[in-house]
Every structure is written in C-alpha cells, then in structure tokens.
Amino acid sequence: MNRPNPITRKLAVSFAMLVFVGIALMFVASEYTAYQVTTALAYGIAILGLNILTGYNGQFSIGHSAFFAAGAYVSAILITFAGWHPYATLPIAAAVTFSMGFLFGFPALRLEGLYLALATFALAVATPQILKVDALEHWTGGVQGLFFDKPDPIFAGLSVDHSLYLVTWLVFVVLMVGAWMLLHSRSGRAIMAIRDNPIAASTMGINLALYKTTTFGISAMLAGVGGAFFALANSFVSPDTFNFFIAVYLLVGSVVGGIVSIPGALLGGLFYVFGQEYAEEFSNLSEMIPPPWVTFGVLLILMMYFAPFGIWGAIERGWARLKR
Amino acid sequence: MKLLEVKGLKAFYRQTQALYGVDFELEEGSITTILGANGAGKTTTLRSISRMVRTEGEIKFDGQDITGLSTEKVAALGIAHVPEGRGTFVRQSVEENLHLGAYTRKNKNDVANDIDRVYAYFPRLMERRQQQAGTLSGGEQQMLAIGRALMLRPRLMLLDEPSFGLAPLIVQEIYEIMARIRDQEKASMLLVEQNANIALNLADQAYLLETGHVVMSGESEVLRNDENVRKVYLGY
Amino acid sequence: MDLFLQLTLAGLAIGSVYACVALAVVMIYQATDHFNFAQGEMAMFSTFVAWALYQVTGSIWLSFLIAVALSFIAGIIIERVIVKPVENAPIFNQIIVFIGLLMIFNNLAGWFWEHTTKTLPSLFPKHGIDSTLISTHNLGVILFTLLILGVTFCFFKFTKVGLAMRAAAANPDSARLVGVSVGWMLALGWGLASAIGAVGGVLVAPIVFLEPNMMSGVLLYGFAGALLGGVNSPGGAVAGGLMVGVLENWARQYVPGGSELGLTFALILIVGVLMFKPAGLFGRVIIKRV
C-alpha cells in the first residue's frame, strides 16, 4: 500500500479547505456577488490554462480569448439549437477547444517567444471578425450573438446565480487539483524541462512536439471551459464580448496572480473582476479622477514594479521570510 | 608616474564575492600583466575598473577616483577595454566598429587618420573594411577589438586574454603587433592572460592572482624565474 | 485594369501608414527585443494632440510638427520613467507594463476628447492632382512616407548617433565600453519610434477617422508588416507594411468575404510567413562565429 506522503496530504487539505470556503461563501454572498465571483472563476479557469502554457511550459499566448470564445460559443450553440442541458455542453466545449489548441500547437512549434505571442495576438484580434462572418451567421447569430437561459438551480431553494456559482467553484477546484497533479507528475516535469531547456529536454528523450502541442491543447481546453462558464453566467454570447481585450485580461490576471502558480489563477480572476470594480468606484469619487481603465493601467504598472512575481509570488515570498 | 592605483579591491556578483582585497598599480607607459588560472578573478579585475561589477575599495586613474563613474564615463576618460570574447559588433561593418571605438571623440579628421593608422597595424582589417564584422575569423575579430580600443586614443588599454581560443601562430602575430603598439604609441596596458609565457615576455610588471587574492607580484623577469610560477603556470 | 491600379495605389497609401507603424515597432524591437504593444495607442494619442493643436492654431502643418516634436519628447520620458524600471524584469512583466500603457493612453484619450469620431484634415491640398487613380491625400501619404523613411535610413546609416544606437541595441555591454550611454540610446529610440508613430497617425487619421480605437487595427497590420518583412530589418519592415496594405486591398476586392475578413487575412499572413520564413522575407539571418 502507498503511504500518503506529506505533499499529497497538503493537497488533500487544500482541496477540502477550498471546497469548504466555496460553500461557506455561498451563504454570505448576494446574488450579484455570486454572479461576479462566477465570472471571476470563469476567467480563473482560463488563466489556469494560460499559467500551464506560459508559466510552466514557456509558450506565450495573448490569444486565449479565441479559445475562451470558442468554448462559450460551443456551449451557446448547443443550448440554443440542440436544446442541450447547459452543463452537458461543457465536455463538448472542452473537447472542441482541446482539439483547436492541439492543432494550433503545431504552427506554434515553429514559433518562439515573441513570434508566438504575435501569432496568438493576431488570433485574438481575428476572433470577433470570424464570429461575425455572414456565412456563419445562422449558427453564431452574427453581430447580435445568441441569448439563452441560465441553467436551472441544481437543487431546489438555491437561486440561479448561487447554483451556477457553486458548480463553477467545484469545477474550478477539481481543475486546480488536476492541474496540480499533472504538473507534479512525470509529464509535468517534462513540461517544465521543455520550458527551462528545450535542447536538454529533447536529448533526455522527451518528445517536444507531442508535449508542446498537448500542453497547448490542455491550456486551450481550460480556456474553453472558462469561456463556457462565462457564457452560462451571462446567458449571452456576442462577437464583441470576446475582443482582443479578453486575451489581454487573461494575461494580466495570469501575471498579476502569479504566472508560475496554480492558486495564482484564482487570485488573478478575482483581481480582474474586483480590481476593475474598485477602479470604477475610485473613478466615481471625483470628476478629476480619470476613468477606471486608466486607474487600472496605472495599478498594473505599479504591480509590476512592486510585486513582480504576482500576488501568489508575493505571498510565497512573504511566507518564506516569516518562516526564516 | 602612477597611472592606475588599485587598493583593497573587492568585487561582487550579487552575493558572490570574486575579489578579496586586491592591490596593484601601473606606471604610465608600461605594460602590467595579471596572470592566473580560470576563476582567479582576472576578468573581474578589469570589469571592476570599467565599472561593470559592484566593488568596494579604491580605484584611482591618474589620481582621480573612478569608482563613482558609469562604464561609459570611464571610457570617456581614455580607458579602452578589450573585453573577454572581444565584444565585436557583429552586424556592423569592420569600419563601423572602428568608428564606434572613436565614439567619444569629436575631431573627424583625427578619427579618419586614426582609422588609417589602425589599418596600418592590421592590414587584414583593411581588406575586410566593408565586411560584416561577425563574419571575421576569431583572430581577425581580436585584431578588430584591439583596433577599436586604439580608436579611443586610450591612455590605458585593458586587454582581456587576447590569446583566447586562437591558434599559436595568430597569437604570436597579435602579440608582435601589441609590442609595436607599445613602442609606437607609448601606450599603457593592463593585460590579463592565462598564457603566462607570452604575457611575461611582453609585460614589465606582473601580478599573480589566485582565487581573488594577489599571491605574488614583481618585475616580469622575477616571476618568470620563480620556481613555482615556472612549474604551475609556465609548465617547464 | 483601372480598378486594379486604384486598389494597388490606395493599398500603397494605407500600406505606408502600416510601414510607419512597422518601422516604429522594429526600432524598439531592435533596441530592446520587445514589441511595444502600446505603439498604436501612443500614435493615436499623438494624433489627438495634433487635432487639439489644430483647433487652436488652425494650421494643420504647424500642429503636425508640434505634435511630432511633443511625441518625441514624450517617448523619451516614457522610456526613462516607466519602462526603465522594468528593464531587467521578466518578459511578462514588461508586456504587462506595455499593456498598462495601452490602457492608459486609450482611456485618457477617451476622457480628454470623448469617444465621438473627429475629422482631422489632410496634410495635403484637396485638389492637387487630377487623377481618377489616386487621391491627392493618398499620393501625399505615399511620397511623404518615403521621405520619412529615407531620412530615418540616412540617420541610422550615416550619423554617429545612429551608429551608436545600432551598436547599443546589438551589443549593449560593448557599446558602454566604447563610451556609448546605452540608457539614453534606448530613450532616444523610444522618442524616435513615438515620433514616427505620430506621423503615421496623422497620415491615417483622414482615412479612418479620429477616435480612441482607430489604431488597434493599424497596429496589427503594422505588426504583420514588420514580421512579413523581418523584424531585424527596418527596410524589410517598410516593404512588409506596404505589401500588407496592397494585399489587404486586393483581398477586400477579389476574395469572397474579403471585406469582412481583413484582419483574419492578416492573421493568416502572419502565421503563414512565420511558418516558412521565421526571419521574415527580408530578415537577415545573423552570421555569427564563436
């Protein structure tokens, strides 16, 4: 029999704590807050994908809004045209975006660093245009997009928003644990070895192409699942929701949360949604204060000066100092 | 006159200390060599003078303390550093490399004359003047690096292992030219070498560095005849 | 045939603007190895400044020149104050700083000048030439861009500061050793890029209307042009920008669905070129001996 080692125990404790916190939060949060947190979690799931790809595998992407959009549209189309149950669409959204990411991973193999960032940047900018194309209008709803209902509560007595929040939270926790296990496995070490020294990794017999395309696929899949939850939370998708800025927000959330971390994804999603809200409140204080996005931009730059490894990085470093 | 005086020099790369209180000096118009094995701190000594590493202690050039200056200001004082690995501007042409060497100088005619002078020392560079410098051979790049340093009209040249990675014949050629430069330009040089034999032939004074400490110093002749130096560094 | 010529010439005109942006991008890339994602927004902001000056002075040329000069200074200040602190930070952090700048400029413009579209008059007279093939503005844009590019080329090729900037970009350590102040060369590069971006902005404004989001598409085409031509080749970047402009115009006319898919087309172009020619069409593969 395997004895549970301390790391596994730490993981189990974190898992239990996160589930507990999620359920506890549900009782105190208003419907609107529940909706906000759901949105933050949807971004968080996508950011998790970005962290795995960029932080752990060293491949850039500022085009994850494309996969985010794809996941959202797959869900929306299946709900609207096939009448599927909203949650039943999630695996399909995951499968479709995994394939998309896996396929995009091949051209990505030939591109390095900033070139890859640029190619994905272009992908992000092109996405709304593709969604608006006349030929696809029947399925995508063109510029108008698609409207549908939020999923019914999973059990009676729960509001629609609280129910969706709970499901999103649980899925997120499971995905975080999954990501943790992946990155601490043999494959995870391969993924990181590729980031640190691709040549050495390949001489050790790691199949670079396979690992990189698969990682791209997994990352895109997480972005797709995040996008699907985002669509469910808003009960609506439209091309301009998924403009290039979503890709930027995901990257911002990723770096701000801590790009080489798993909990950072959660923090990044929360930062994005609530940081924006606080920036907005701050701007409303006076006519003299510039609009929220200016404040947010300044906040971002300051974060990079004072917490270069993101919020989770700062927490880890602070903790290490306390223990010393 | 003392052109360069270094006292109690300590140097650090982040947390790691590379020099532990090094003292040496250099007379104007003379050649001083710093010898030592890999990792002894030779390159670090030169980088300290050029203000490329964090240091403690005193570095005086021509009586002026230079520890507070930036690298480019040190160059402007007339200290030409031929760095480890030659520092070639690989995408610029040979002639552009030489022009860069004269970046701090104003008089265009003087610069043009000096370029001709460098070509006179290194006719091979003349042949390749319009060529992308990255396409030169190792020896030619070393010549270009020395030529670039000469373009500053330096009061002091810092030379970091001019023999590194070159065939013995080329090394000999380069050292012969360096001797000519010393005679004709009255140049002062601080020469760092692993190849102790050839460096001691050229230099007037020598210092022996081991793991960040000066362990021996004196006239080149004295070091050459020292039994330990002969066994360990000269190999006979 | 006339239609084809018209499309090509109009493509060259808009391509000139892409070429300006591409050149600005390449300039900063060469100096720092970064793509400045805020380049487009900075150019947009400069254009608004030109517009505001025009409201006061009534002279488009004067406003243009002042705006370019101000952009040059602003570029230097931005490098010294905002970008310098993250000089040695990880690449993600630098990208985030650029994104922060992008947000700041985009929204400041909206705050100062509102999100309604404005019209900026052309730098060139309305009735200069009498041709059905090309408008005076477009002809002016092409010629003016060529002039700017020529001047820039000469600056880098034949002046001491230009050479020092190239050296500082290629080998900063060595450049310091010969007395070049690398930090100021970077700042100067930012200033020049920002000024050239301003030129592009003022040239494109009469075509696309002046509003805070006017440059996002232009920036992408500029990137596409830079990559197509080769990111380490300023001349290539310019050629790339022109080609993207022409190809885009052709695609709009001759490819079914081309009118809606302009950006998608640019995407395919970028990825396509990078797959087969990672250094771009005119990019030099640097020969290096070790």
Side-chain angles (χ1 to χ4, degrees):
Chain A
M1 283 302 288
N2 280 337
R3 229 164 358 120
N5 66 35
I7 297 177
T8 327
R9 200 176 327 132
K10 207 170 111 188
L11 180 69
V13 170
S14 316
F15 178 74
M17 260 172 59
L18 277 171
V19 170
F20 175 76
V21 168
I23 295 173
L25 267 178
M26 196 181 63
F27 288 103
V28 293
S30 69
E31 277 188 38
Y32 182 65
T33 312
Y35 158 76
Q36 276 187 310
V37 179
T38 309
T39 318
L41 294 173
Y43 283 121
I45 294 171
I47 292 171
L48 181 63
L50 202 52
N51 285 3
I52 293 174
L53 183 72
T54 309
Y56 289 96
N57 193 221
Q59 300 193 72
F60 280 77
S61 170
I62 25 183
H64 262 43
S65 63
F67 306 114
F68 198 72
Y73 266 86
V74 167
S75 273
I77 290 169
L78 286 175
I79 295 168
T80 316
F81 295 102
W84 283 36
H85 188 279
Y87 295 135
T89 64
L90 291 170
I92 309 296
V96 169
T97 47
F98 176 83
S99 327
M100 277 175 67
F102 186 74
L103 292 176
F104 193 83
F106 283 99
L109 285 176
R110 295 193 53 125
L111 305 173
E112 277 185 5
L114 280 170
Y115 289 90
L116 182 55
L118 271 173
T120 52
F121 173 67
L123 188 64
V125 177
T127 301
Q129 285 201 327
I130 296 173
L131 291 173
K132 283 183 208 166
V133 166
D134 287 340
L136 299 173
E137 197 172 339
H138 174 68
W139 297 104
T140 60
V143 183
Q144 257 67 48
L146 298 169
F147 293 83
F148 45 91
D149 292 328
K150 289 187 188 184
D152 292 331
I154 39 172
F155 44 83
L158 216 55
S159 82
V160 170
D161 286 315
H162 280 112
S163 152
L164 181 58
Y165 156 79
L166 193 62
V167 173
T168 317
W169 184 277
L170 292 177
V171 170
F172 193 1
V173 173
V174 169
L175 289 175
M176 284 203 332
V177 171
W180 194 93
M181 295 197 326
L182 170 70
L183 292 170
H184 286 77
S185 69
R186 203 177 126 85
S187 307
R189 284 191 294 275
I191 287 173
M192 286 181 264
I194 290 170
R195 170 196 65 189
D196 296 334
N197 193 336
I199 295 170
S202 69
T203 59
M204 291 187 304
I206 295 172
N207 182 340
L208 288 195
L210 181 67
Y211 271 102
K212 285 176 90 169
T213 48
T214 309
T215 309
F216 216 111
I218 291 172
S219 171
M221 177 187 81
L222 288 168
V225 171
F229 275 112
F230 183 84
L232 296 186
N234 290 286
S235 60
F236 160 65
V237 290
S238 81
D240 290 317
T241 320
F242 302 106
N243 58 24
F244 155 68
F245 282 98
I246 295 287
V248 174
Y249 304 151
L250 293 178
L251 185 66
V252 164
S254 172
V255 176
V256 166
I259 196 161
V260 198
S261 72
I262 292 170
L266 177 59
L267 298 172
L270 291 171
F271 171 85
Y272 172 62
V273 170
F274 291 98
Q276 199 184 337
E277 183 173 273
Y278 289 126
E280 212 153 303
E281 278 177 22
F282 177 68
S283 293
N284 289 339
L285 289 179
S286 149
E287 285 283 297
M288 298 302 295
I289 299 174
W293 285 109
V294 177
T295 315
F296 196 69
V298 174
L299 195 62
L300 278 184
I301 294 178
L302 291 178
M303 281 281 303
M304 291 304 100
Y305 293 166
F306 298 112
F309 298 97
I311 303 173
W312 187 252
I315 293 174
E316 276 184 331
R317 266 146 236 260
W319 179 240
R321 193 165 299 174
L322 277 181
K323 279 204 294 196
R324 238 196 325 191
Chain B
M1 210 200 87
K2 303 257 183 295
L3 186 62
L4 185 71
E5 290 171 89
V6 172
K7 281 201 192 103
L9 179 65
K10 296 175 184 165
F12 307 85
Y13 293 99
R14 288 174 194 273
Q15 307 301 327
T16 322
Q17 189 165 355
L19 296 179
Y20 298 85
V22 169
D23 303 295
F24 66 92
E25 47 197 37
L26 186 146
E27 286 285 329
E28 179 135 37
S30 77
I31 298 184
T32 296
T33 183
I34 298 179
L35 305 173
N38 260 343
K42 307 185 300 290
T43 296
T44 306
T45 308
L46 295 191
R47 291 171 67 92
S48 304
I49 298 168
S50 285
R51 311 311 306 142
M52 298 166 84
V53 285
R54 187 165 63 84
T55 63
E56 288 168 16
E58 198 177 84
I59 305 173
K60 274 189 174 165
F61 176 68
D62 204 10
Q64 181 195 351
D65 181 32
I66 59 168
T67 50
L69 300 182
S70 62
T71 301
E72 55 264 26
K73 292 271 162 55
V74 171
L77 285 179
I79 299 183
H81 187 150
V82 177
E84 188 181 28
R86 299 157 197 143
T88 313
F89 297 100
V90 291
R91 275 156 65 180
Q92 275 65 46
S93 71
V94 167
E95 193 140 315
E96 281 176 331
N97 267 268
L98 294 178
H99 273 290
L100 279 165
Y103 179 75
T104 55
R105 294 172 52 193
K106 298 272 179 289
N107 189 323
K108 278 189 180 162
N109 286 335
D110 284 1
V111 171
N113 288 337
D114 284 0
I115 286 189
D116 290 339
R117 221 149 45 116
V118 169
Y119 286 151
Y121 285 119
F122 303 105
R124 285 218 229 171
L125 296 181
M126 172 82 164
E127 290 162 27
R128 307 188 186 287
R129 55 197 291 180
Q130 295 306 333
Q131 207 167 313
Q132 196 179 326
T135 62
L136 299 184
S137 71
E140 288 162 344
Q141 287 196 31
Q142 189 61 57
M143 295 175 188
L144 180 59
I146 296 172
R148 204 176 57 223
L150 280 176
M151 290 303 296
L152 186 71
R153 288 237 175 131
R155 299 193 53 199
L156 173 63
M157 291 173 81
L158 309 178
L159 298 149
D160 199 340
E161 291 212 38
S163 72
F164 185 81
L166 302 180
L169 270 178
I170 308 278
V171 173
Q172 206 178 355
E173 186 182 342
I174 287 177
Y175 268 83
E176 276 163 15
I177 298 172
M178 280 164 56
R180 266 172 55 210
I181 291 172
R182 173 195 54 194
D183 300 339
Q184 290 173 20
E185 314 278 330
K186 308 271 175 284
S188 316
M189 299 185 192
L190 182 59
L191 170 65
V192 147
E193 263 297 356
Q194 271 196 70
N195 187 337
N197 210 348
I198 194 156
L200 285 172
N201 272 334
L202 183 70
D204 309 299
Q205 290 283 322
Y207 291 81
L208 185 58
L209 217 53
E210 270 173 19
T211 55
H213 303 268
V214 173
V215 291
M216 196 177 182
S217 65
E219 307 263 313
S220 295
E221 283 304 308
V222 178
L223 261 80
R224 204 206 320 263
N225 296 325
D226 182 89
E227 183 131 354
N228 271 329
V229 172
R230 236 180 48 209
K231 271 191 194 139
V232 179
Y233 293 96
L234 300 174
Y236 54 82
Chain C
M1 195 60 207
D2 267 8
L3 176 66
F4 180 76
L5 271 179
Q6 274 172 5
L7 286 171
T8 308
L9 289 169
L12 280 177
I14 189 81
S16 303
V17 177
Y18 302 156
C20 281
V21 176
L23 185 65
V25 165
V26 164
M27 213 178 252
I28 292 190
Y29 178 75
Q30 286 209 304
T32 60
D33 274 353
H34 303 143
F35 285 100
N36 178 7
F37 291 99
Q39 199 80 63
E41 306 308 300
M42 284 165 64
M44 175 276 298
F45 202 84
S46 303
T47 314
F48 264 105
V49 170
W51 178 83
L53 287 164
Y54 176 67
Q55 303 306 309
V56 180
T57 62
S59 156
I60 182 66
W61 273 96
L62 182 65
S63 317
F64 167 70
L65 292 175
I66 300 176
V68 169
L70 288 177
S71 305
F72 177 74
I73 296 167
I76 290 181
I77 295 174
I78 289 172
E79 200 283 332
R80 291 280 89 179
V81 177
I82 296 174
V83 181
K84 191 171 179 279
V86 287
E87 227 168 34
N88 301 316
I91 189 107
F92 307 114
N93 298 43
Q94 292 168 339
I95 292 180
I96 297 292
V97 167
F98 291 150
I99 290 172
L101 278 176
L102 183 154
M103 287 179 175
I104 292 172
F105 278 115
N106 185 290
N107 292 282
L108 272 186
W111 191 45
F112 288 159
W113 294 295
E114 288 159 4
H115 285 269
T116 53
T117 55
K118 316 242 177 324
T119 41
L120 187 72
S122 167
L123 287 169
F124 313 105
K126 264 211 180 71
H127 305 288
I129 54 158
D130 194 26
S131 165
T132 52
L133 286 178
I134 185 168
S135 69
T136 316
H137 176 76
N138 280 354
L139 181 65
V141 167
I142 295 172
L143 295 177
F144 195 69
T145 311
L146 289 178
L147 176 75
I148 296 282
L149 300 175
V151 170
T152 313
F153 176 80
C154 290
F155 169 75
F156 278 107
K157 190 76 192 170
F158 300 117
T159 70
K160 192 167 155 177
V161 178
L163 177 60
M165 283 176 72
R166 284 188 286 147
N171 194 341
D173 280 342
S174 246
R176 277 189 200 100
L177 288 179
V178 296
V180 174
S181 169
V182 172
W184 279 104
M185 293 301 135
L186 288 186
L188 200 55
W190 269 77
L192 282 178
S194 161
I196 291 175
V199 173
V202 172
L203 291 179
V204 80
I207 308 177
V208 300
F209 294 114
L210 183 52
E211 51 102 14
N213 295 319
M214 72 176 211
M215 289 307 271
S216 54
V218 175
L219 179 68
L220 180 69
Y221 287 119
F223 276 150
L227 281 172
L228 187 63
V231 278
N232 52 23
S233 151
V238 170
L242 291 172
M243 282 162 71
V244 170
V246 172
L247 287 171
E248 178 209 2
N249 252 15
W250 287 347
R252 277 184 202 286
Q253 185 65 33
Y254 299 120
V255 178
S259 56
E260 326 163 29
L261 288 174
L263 282 170
T264 310
F265 168 72
L267 159 78
I268 294 168
L269 197 64
I270 289 182
V271 178
V273 168
L274 290 181
M275 293 273 292
F276 299 105
K277 287 216 62 153
L281 293 179
F282 308 100
R284 267 187 299 190
V285 178
I286 301 153
I287 307 156
K288 202 174 185 177
R289 236 188 234 199
V290 248

